Amino acid sequence: MKAYIHNHPQFKRLLHWFIMSPVRTRPRWYVRMLQFFYVKRGAGSVIYRSVRRDLVPFRKCAIGSRSVVESFAVLNNAVGDLFIGDNSRIGISNTIIGPVTIGNKVNIGQNVLISGLNHAYEDVTKAIADQGVSTAPVTIADDVWIGGNVVILAGISIGEHAVIGAGSVVTKDVPPYSVVVGNPAKIVKKYDFNLNAWIKP
């Protein structure tokens, strides 16, 4: 079926129109009603009623056991898969646009943007909205704490037990066991296992 869709662009456009509203750029109401079939949820997971679920059936979405997506968040897998591990908390008013993988025991503060999507803008003769998008996966390892109002850009990898300070804009990979803050985010301390202590870089 996938090969047929790929080889027949007109059918692909029709199917996409049937699934996604081109103006609202979100799944149509009858597709959203079927999300319990294609969105995988672990035992005890919670998605609050006010969460905007722009989740389509032609991409993957899985939320682990006892993970919570708090009120007014946005989950979007229209251009890339979205995975959330076990015992993680997605804060109030977060926006997560795939491709994004979030590990286990990750705590994310309020108003955080994590996006694996970027808009193309190379051709100055075209409107940016008409130039399409590119994607690069965002990966957040286990046991990460992300403060409020953080922005994490496409293609970023955050190592385990890292801390992202509130208001930071993360433009480069974050190593494990480190604390980064600022715009652009920079390392302010990291854990040295030889010294068994946090040190400044």
Side-chain angles (χ1 to χ4, degrees):
M1 183 66 173
K2 287 184 179 179
Y4 180 86
I5 293 170
H6 180 73
N7 293 324
H8 294 80
Q10 288 183 325
F11 180 72
K12 183 178 181 179
R13 283 194 293 271
L14 177 63
L15 186 61
H16 193 270
W17 179 90
F18 181 77
I19 294 172
M20 294 281 288
S21 167
V23 176
R24 298 187 181 192
T25 60
R26 68 178 309 193
R28 296 186 185 275
W29 65 269
Y30 47 81
V31 176
R32 296 197 303 271
M33 286 180 60
L34 299 173
Q35 286 180 352
F36 65 92
F37 279 121
Y38 61 85
V39 174
K40 295 182 179 178
R41 294 180 55 182
S45 63
V46 176
I47 303 177
Y48 281 89
R49 189 169 294 180
S50 60
V51 172
R52 177 168 165 164
R53 308 174 201 194
D54 291 352
L55 303 170
V56 294
F58 53 82
R59 303 280 183 189
K60 295 177 182 176
C61 179
I63 299 168
S65 299
R66 298 172 302 283
S67 286
V68 177
V69 182
E70 294 189 358
S71 299
F72 308 110
V74 177
L75 302 178
N76 186 314
N77 73 338
V79 295
D81 298 337
L82 178 56
F83 301 106
I84 299 170
D86 298 331
N87 299 294
S88 290
R89 182 168 290 269
I90 309 303
I92 294 169
S93 296
N94 278 206
T95 298
I96 302 177
I97 302 171
V100 172
T101 299
I102 296 170
N104 303 317
K105 294 189 175 180
V106 174
N107 283 301
I108 304 177
Q110 298 77 27
N111 303 305
V112 172
L113 168 63
I114 304 170
S115 179
L117 173 146
N118 205 353
H119 285 271
Y121 58 92
E122 297 299 324
D123 188 345
V124 295
T125 66
K126 285 184 178 180
I128 294 172
D130 296 332
Q131 295 189 49
V133 299
S134 61
T135 60
V138 174
T139 303
I140 299 171
D142 297 343
D143 192 26
V144 170
W145 174 24
I146 300 171
N149 298 296
V150 166
V151 175
I152 299 174
L153 301 180
I156 297 299
S157 178
I158 297 174
E160 65 177 319
H161 204 84
V163 176
I164 315 297
S168 297
V169 178
V170 184
T171 61
K172 295 181 179 178
D173 290 350
V174 177
Y177 297 90
S178 62
V179 178
V180 302
V181 299
N183 180 7
K186 296 181 180 179
I187 298 173
V188 293
K189 65 179 182 177
K190 56 185 178 180
Y191 195 80
D192 188 317
F193 284 92
N194 294 321
L195 299 174
N196 289 322
W198 290 93
I199 62 170
K200 292 184 178 180

